[in-house]
Amino acid sequence: MSVLAWVSVAVFLAAYALIATEKIHRVAAALGGAGIMLGIHATNGEAAFFSRHAGIDWNVIFLLLGMMVIVGVLKQTGVFEYLAIWAAKRARGRPFRLMVLLVLITAAASALLDNVTTVLLIAPVTFLVCERLAVKAAPFLIAEAMASNIGGAATLVGDPPNIIIASRGGLSFNDFLIHMAPLVIVLMAVFVGLCWLMFGRSLRYDPDRAEEIMALDEREAIADRRLLWQSLAVLALVMAAFVLHPVLHYEPSVVALLGAGVLVAATKVTTEQAIAEVEWPTLVFFAGLFVMVGALVETGVIGELSKAAVATTSGQLAATTMGLLGISAVLSAIVDNIPYVATMSPIVEHLVQANGGHDVLWWALAFGADLGGNATAVGAAANVVVLGIAARNGTPISFWQFTKYGLIVTVVTVVLVAPYLWLRYLL
């Protein structure tokens, strides 16, 4: 690699270390790293702002923005309070039962929507119900972020990397349902067990709090029924457009922005109220992260790493599949899985052609990137969003607090994927 490439690696590692150690705010670290990358010409304005593979992913940014606005309007209706009471009553006030319920809802919703949208909807519910039960929200939020990444792996629209893979590999919505969804169901069952081991024994049941919850009427929480129906109608249309992406060919970001615009224009909610829930620091953090990773793409660092990983497999399909699964999980834990998949997908496309069009390599890339995103706090968009919401609500989750659980979940789930790929495609 060139001297510039090595300098870019040093800048990236320094910025990542600052994010991981929280010596300075993660937004400052990301923006500082992005500024240095531009200053040393590791990337440029053209690539950083307009390149699809080496710049800011505006689809992700505007998808987040649009859904944050929709969530901001929904919060005015009281629907989140309604869901909080309903979920707590279904769980009869028992914290772990509630965690299981919220985790399963999150995974199912992430498969139909995208995982970022799902955590934007579920996180406010979590804070409300945890406050009523007098339990810490952090374990619930961490579990929901991970469930969103696992559940989102099941479908084409569930996780942004899947959309990239489907586009490059010519894969359909049904392809993901057939090849990804069956194992995702198994992984979710395993994940529920891991939640008990990681969090279940520390959650305390308070009978008095539970009695108070059971006495509540969730219907009284609805503050504006007209606004609720308007919001649900728009949200239903947005969801339908997400699911029908292979037919309608509207990018998720476009759908989210249209939904947000219609909702604000058609209701009495003010613009200030609608944008009050937008996590601006999260959006800026993503922008800085994309620029830094894009610089590694521009200088050839990520490409060289990917090629080196593939070269070690000696061209054998089984070795290439397992190597791709492992390296995707590792690299997606270090850098955001979206730019990683954008960089790796052209290489995988070549490998698929060289191996007679065998799609197992696409599934190895998808599982590795989607599940590897659970390993660290910055591995997936949903993780970053959850941490941003947590900090804003006075319950900050540190990088290492998330990562110490994420590493366990990633190792277990990726290890289970390996025999699935071997038995189904390689024997």
Side-chain angles (χ1 to χ4, degrees), residues 164-171 349 359 362:
I164 298 171
I165 290 170
S167 177
R168 177 71 67 167
L171 304 171
E349 183 180 25
D359 286 339
W362 289 120

Side-chain angles (χ1 to χ4, degrees), residues 116-130:
V116 174
T117 300
T118 299
V119 296
L120 282 170
L121 296 171
I122 296 296
V125 174
T126 302
F127 277 106
L128 290 165
V129 74
C130 287

Side-chain angles (χ1 to χ4, degrees), residues 263-282:
L263 195 54
V264 173
T267 63
K268 297 180 180 179
V269 175
T270 66
T271 304
E272 290 75 14
Q273 290 174 319
I275 66 172
E277 296 302 314
V278 174
E279 296 286 339
W280 298 110
T282 298

Side-chain angles (χ1 to χ4, degrees), residues 43-288:
T43 185
N44 54 48
E46 181 71 23
F49 302 122
F50 302 106
S51 172
R52 293 188 62 186
H53 300 298
I56 297 173
D57 193 327
W58 296 110
N59 282 319
V60 173
I61 300 296
F62 285 110
L63 170 62
L64 289 171
L65 176 60
M67 293 311 301
M68 286 174 180
V69 171
I70 293 174
V71 170
V73 175
L74 270 172
K75 285 194 70 173
Q76 306 298 318
T77 68
V79 68
F80 294 116
E81 290 86 346
Y82 175 94
L83 289 174
I85 298 169
W86 177 86
K89 289 176 71 172
R90 292 285 293 182
R92 297 195 169 274
R94 296 188 176 275
F96 183 69
R97 290 183 185 177
L98 176 63
M99 178 178 282
V100 172
L101 180 62
L102 292 176
V103 159
L104 293 178
I105 290 173
T106 299
S110 295
L112 294 176
L113 307 173
D114 65 278
N115 52 6
V116 174
T117 300
T118 299
V119 296
L120 282 170
L121 296 171
I122 296 296
V125 174
T126 302
F127 277 106
L128 290 165
V129 74
C130 287
E131 181 181 355
R132 290 186 178 276
L133 291 177
V135 295
K136 294 180 178 179
F140 290 81
L141 295 171
I142 293 171
E144 288 160 7
M146 295 179 186
S148 74
N149 291 322
I150 297 173
T155 68
L156 184 154
V157 297
D159 210 355
N162 290 5
I163 297 175
I164 298 171
I165 290 170
S167 177
R168 177 71 67 167
L171 304 171
S172 69
F173 188 88
N174 289 338
D175 288 331
F176 278 82
L177 286 179
I178 293 169
H179 297 278
M180 299 281 286
L183 183 60
V184 167
I185 294 172
V186 175
L187 294 179
M188 277 306 304
V190 173
F191 179 66
V192 169
L194 289 175
C195 284
W196 169 250
L197 295 176
M198 296 186 298
F199 308 118
R201 288 169 289 187
S202 65
L203 298 175
R204 295 288 177 259
Y205 171 62
D206 186 333
D208 294 333
R209 290 276 186 168
E211 284 186 19
E212 292 176 10
I213 286 288
M214 296 305 294
L216 294 174
D217 184 357
E218 58 269 34
R219 291 172 296 182
E220 294 179 358
I222 302 300
D224 189 329
R225 293 185 180 277
R226 177 180 173 83
L227 180 61
L228 173 61
W229 286 114
Q230 291 174 320
S231 301
L232 290 178
V234 171
L235 184 60
L237 291 173
V238 169
M239 291 180 178
F242 281 150
V243 174
L244 295 173
H245 169 79
V247 177
L248 300 177
H249 302 295
Y250 286 119
E251 293 296 331
S253 57
V254 174
V255 173
L257 286 176
L258 284 172
V262 168
L263 195 54
V264 173
T267 63
K268 297 180 180 179
V269 175
T270 66
T271 304
E272 290 75 14
Q273 290 174 319
I275 66 172
E277 296 302 314
V278 174
E279 296 286 339
W280 298 110
T282 298
L283 300 182
V284 174
F285 172 71
F286 267 114

Side-chain angles (χ1 to χ4, degrees), residues 194 198 375 403-413:
L194 289 175
M198 296 186 298
T403 302
K404 69 181 180 181
Y405 298 117
L407 288 173
I408 296 171
V409 172
T410 296
V411 169
V412 172
T413 52

